[in-house]
Amino acid sequence: AQTVTQSQPEMSVQEAETVTLSCTYDTSESDYYLFWYKQPPSRQMILVIRQEAYKQQNATENRFSVNFQKAAKSFSLKISDSQLGDAAMYFCAYRPPNFGNEKLTFGTGTRLTIIP
Amino acid sequence: DTEVTQTPKHLVMGMTNKKSLKCEQHMGHRAMYWYKQKAKKPPELMFVYSYEKLSINESVPSRFSPECPNSSLLNLHLHALQPEDSALYLCASSPTLANSGANVLTFGAGSRLTVL
């Protein structure tokens, strides 16, 4: 079974600064999907960004970008210009090839605090 | 409409009660999911419906009974629950179960269940 590891249970960053959340995963596949989901105190999980493993270019969504290192099986999330609304639990997730979301594996999460 | 709506937001029930959680989406999604999330943990998959048919049951106890009356609605019937079943129950939907980068989960805000 695939495992997804988030080694930072908690992180904090000053407002307007940049923070990087780490994620590593274990797989023997070559084509798969990786996701970052955000869960603010409102509880709703929201998709932040996705990466397809066959694409070498790192995904970017506004202030959110990833550093995808396929050989190292690393998928970190960089948040630039941190805002108070970024405070949330962040979950990294892996989805294997040939399956849909029923095979999505989540990491244990990183709680991000934004310091005003 | 890009939302998944869950009701009720909070539910307190005794171990002998029968209650139901409701989930609704009008995005035309044909896959719907129930997740259970304990505090500070990632969501755990319980059930998956695809085209209104139960596709996956992750060995969930029979005191949880899912139902998909139509393509927009998903219910979770609760009976004879235990205190350890207290958790956040998240509903999600996706276009299908296909392996596609566009096939991502849209979550509801969850129903917080407390079993006394």
Side-chain angles (χ1 to χ4, degrees):
Chain A
Q2 282 79 27
T3 57
V4 178
T5 302
Q6 294 179 250
S7 59
Q8 307 152 315
E10 295 184 358
M11 292 279 287
S12 60
V13 64
Q14 291 281 150
E15 195 176 0
E17 296 296 308
T18 296
V19 65
T20 299
L21 308 184
S22 301
C23 173
T24 59
Y25 56 94
D26 180 32
T27 185
S28 57
E29 304 288 348
S30 60
D31 190 17
Y32 45 85
Y33 290 96
L34 296 164
F35 306 86
W36 278 99
Y37 279 91
K38 163 186 176 181
Q39 188 175 35
S42 64
R43 309 180 319 201
Q44 185 174 12
M45 298 267 286
I46 302 163
L47 178 67
V48 175
I49 202 164
R50 85 192 83 170
Q51 176 79 42
E52 296 168 67
Y54 69 87
K55 289 186 178 179
Q56 293 188 339
Q57 186 172 6
N58 289 325
T60 299
E61 289 286 344
N62 300 314
R63 298 182 294 107
F64 298 87
S65 61
V66 298
N67 183 4
F68 174 48
Q69 301 288 326
K70 191 172 183 178
K73 297 179 185 175
S74 170
F75 182 60
S76 59
L77 175 69
K78 186 171 88 170
I79 306 173
S80 303
D81 185 26
S82 298
Q83 300 176 359
L84 293 177
D86 296 332
M89 194 77 166
Y90 286 80
F91 292 99
C92 177
Y94 165 93
R95 196 175 84 193
N98 305 316
F99 289 97
N101 295 299
E102 74 279 11
K103 292 293 185 184
L104 197 65
T105 300
F106 290 97
T108 50
T110 296
R111 180 168 300 282
L112 178 64
T113 300
I114 310 296
I115 303 167
Chain B
D1 188 352
T2 58
E3 285 188 341
V4 174
T5 304
Q6 288 189 246
T7 55
K9 289 190 180 352
H10 300 274
L11 178 63
V12 179
M13 61 186 291
M15 290 189 285
T16 58
N17 292 158
K18 282 186 181 181
K19 297 285 185 183
S20 297
L21 306 181
K22 180 181 169 182
C23 172
E24 197 165 3
Q25 57 88 14
H26 296 286
M27 295 176 281
H29 288 177
R30 304 313 297 271
M32 296 186 77
Y33 311 73
W34 279 115
Y35 284 87
K36 174 183 178 179
Q37 187 179 24
K38 301 285 271 186
K40 300 184 180 181
K41 298 289 187 183
E44 298 174 8
L45 185 65
M46 300 175 71
F47 302 104
V48 181
Y49 273 82
S50 178
Y51 291 88
E52 295 106 72
K53 294 196 185 312
L54 184 63
S55 175
I56 292 175
N57 176 343
E58 291 286 359
S59 303
V60 179
S62 59
R63 57 186 184 269
F64 295 91
S65 175
E67 178 196 20
C68 189
N70 58 57
S71 60
S72 301
L73 261 181
L74 185 66
N75 297 320
L76 186 62
H77 302 299
L78 314 170
H79 174 55
L81 294 192
Q82 304 296 310
E84 59 264 29
D85 296 322
S86 298
L88 180 67
Y89 288 84
L90 292 166
C91 175
S93 69
S94 66
T96 65
L97 288 184
N99 176 34
S100 159
N103 197 19
V104 296
L105 290 171
T106 300
F107 283 87
S111 293
R112 173 83 61 198
L113 173 67
T114 302
V115 182
L116 300 176

